[in-house]
Amino acid sequence: HCGAVTVASVRPLSGGAASLSWRVEAVRGGQDWPLIVQRAGAEGATLGRGAQAVALAAAAGRGVPVPTVAAVFEADDGLGD
């Protein structure tokens, strides 16, 4: 759980072939919390979001500079993959 979050703006990003992406400007605990939110597109992703999160965590563990995954939602969360 990340506590209270206020969303200041949401802007769609272009260029995603297999996913829909948005830039979200949020505030958490009084601090700016910029986020990128992704959702599988109509065609679906070749690698699911959960698997992508695992791959990013593994890369980070090896010192590769990658974005931090804040959350991965499941289909039953109501937000999709």
Side-chain angles (χ1 to χ4, degrees), residues 34-54:
L35 301 165
I36 300 296
V37 175
Q38 291 186 319
R39 186 173 192 276
E43 296 294 319
T46 57
L47 184 63
R49 298 286 171 244
Q52 288 181 29
V54 169

Side-chain angles (χ1 to χ4, degrees), residues 2 4-5 7 9 17 25-26 33 36-37 40 43 45 48 55 65 67 69-70 72-73 75 78:
C2 60
V5 175
V7 175
S9 68
E25 296 294 335
W33 192 31
I36 300 296
V37 175
E43 296 294 319
V69 176
V72 176
F73 296 104

